[in-house]
Amino acid sequence: MFVGAAVFLAGCGILEVPKTSTITGRITDLAGMPVRNARVYTIDGETKSSSNGSYTLPMNREDFLTVFAEINQDGVTYKGRTVVRTVQDQTQLSANVVVAPISTLSRIHGRVTDSFGAPIVNARVYAYTTGYLSSAMVSTDVNGFYNLEDLIGGRQYTVQAGAVTYSNDTVTVTMSNGDDRVINFSLFDSGTPTLPQVTGVTARTWVSQPIASRGGIGPEAYEAIKRRWSPNRADYVATSRTSSSGAPIEVELNWNRLQGDDFQGYGVYRGTGTGTITDYDYYREPMAGTYIDSDVALNPNALYRYQLTALGTDFPNNGSAEGPRSVAVDARTLDDLIATVNQTTGLRFNWNNDSGATSFVIYIFDRIPGVGVTSIWNNETSRASGTSFVYDTAGNPAGLTTSRTYWYVVLGLANSDSSRTLSTIGSFTY
């Protein structure tokens, strides 16, 4: 499961590498904000990131491929990269890249050997820093050398080297702008490890509106509101377009990050309703504690169930190198929330009754929402129900000023707040 085998086609005496793998992910900046119009490319092709930072790169070969991202803004060049393991006829999800000014980037390089000093070929070296969904990863060459470039200065990285049948070796290092560090790793045989069960798995779902920058409202506005309810979101941005009106749907999984030397990632299992939960994705992030499912097949008002497993360093060569499945968690998606303002008599916020949400929070802002922008008023402590909410214009708790423009958004919640749907950000003149 999870992986396929490479196939080479012969034609006219020349071997042709099949290019049937697709890579998807997100491009974000250091603040976790989506980066639009970045050039994203591999050895097999290139594309541009969309307005919400997402990208899709089809027609890639099966291999360990480097995904590069770069953009020039206001005369400053931003760059980033990661390495993904592509598989024929499959989509590599969550190949996320963080870009930063080239003046802040740093490098770690060195060699990975076994206990006898012999080089280990195709060992994987990860560099993980908190606040990002994906770690940087490279593989060693025929002499055991690796080169982790475009790391971000000023951050602490956990750097881990691992290979099939070997235990991982891990160090922690703080990088400065322009650093060039040499770190060598020596790996020992892993034996037959006992892989733990993944614990603390939780699921949250989001439906947000299609992101198209209008009137200065861009993706960062919606992300800022989401992070109020999911503080660890960092660079999460959905890529699917599957609600009734085409809004993004995502399932956010979180768990207790495993610590240890004998695993290389996670198996993600998914099912619908009360049906069988089957293998869905091979998440090659041994130090991760979050996974975002933004599959285009996700539907609104649906029930999905997820389980996770720990995968050992000998997986997939050894099919038993997989831990027990976690306890299954439910993820219930909502549908579109469409909100309007009626100022015929006072200030009334209205919304539709078929989103699946059961309680509603209204946020009012005195400027366009975004990073560092907080609402001047909300009803989080006294949520609304039904299909409308009347703002107290007599008491005017937000201190609204006549003839001034304000922005608002309505958040719908259900299932102990694990299911969430956001309306489009709108405006009104008081």
Side-chain angles (χ1 to χ4, degrees), residues 179-352:
D179 262 2
D180 192 350
R181 300 282 187 94
V182 175
I183 300 178
N184 297 316
F185 295 93
S186 180
L187 307 185
F188 294 83
D189 292 346
S190 63
T192 306
T194 300
L195 294 166
Q197 183 182 49
V198 182
T199 61
V201 182
T202 61
R204 304 185 184 103
T205 69
W206 283 97
V207 178
S208 54
Q209 294 304 304
I211 297 173
S213 184
R214 294 186 296 267
I217 299 174
E220 67 279 357
Y222 296 94
E223 284 303 302
I225 296 166
K226 287 182 179 181
R227 282 201 299 276
R228 182 175 178 86
W229 289 81
S230 294
N232 296 324
R233 282 184 63 86
D235 63 353
Y236 307 171
V237 184
T239 60
S240 58
R241 292 288 185 274
T242 53
S243 76
S244 296
S245 69
I249 296 176
E250 65 184 19
V251 178
E252 172 190 326
L253 301 178
N254 291 278
W255 61 90
N256 296 329
R257 187 162 66 92
L258 292 177
Q259 303 286 338
D261 295 330
D262 296 316
F263 64 95
Q264 62 161 306
Y266 298 88
V268 182
Y269 290 77
R270 187 180 79 181
T272 57
T274 57
T276 303
I277 304 177
T278 59
D279 55 279
Y280 170 59
D281 193 15
Y282 175 12
Y283 191 39
R284 300 168 179 85
E285 290 290 345
M287 291 177 282
T290 298
Y291 175 87
I292 298 295
D293 183 4
S294 54
D295 186 5
V296 295
L298 293 174
N299 292 310
N301 291 324
L303 170 62
Y304 296 93
R305 306 187 74 220
Y306 291 84
Q307 289 178 296
L308 298 174
T309 62
L311 303 178
T313 57
D314 200 19
F315 184 90
N317 294 359
N318 179 358
S320 64
E322 181 175 16
R325 294 195 195 187
S326 69
V327 174
V329 294
D330 291 347
R332 298 178 183 272
T333 60
L334 301 179
D335 206 342
D336 297 307
L337 185 63
I338 303 170
T340 59
V341 167
N342 187 320
Q343 293 177 269
T344 303
T345 55
L347 181 61
R348 179 187 293 270
F349 299 91
N350 304 290
W351 51 85
N352 56 312

Side-chain angles (χ1 to χ4, degrees), residues 16-53:
E16 180 181 345
V17 180
K19 298 178 181 179
T20 60
S21 176
T22 298
I23 304 171
T24 67
R26 310 169 183 85
I27 312 301
T28 61
D29 64 15
L30 292 175
M33 292 296 99
V35 175
R36 179 177 183 241
N37 208 37
R39 181 188 175 216
V40 187
Y41 60 98
T42 67
I43 190 175
D44 291 324
E46 68 176 82
T47 187
K48 295 282 189 178
S49 59
S50 69
S51 60
N52 68 353

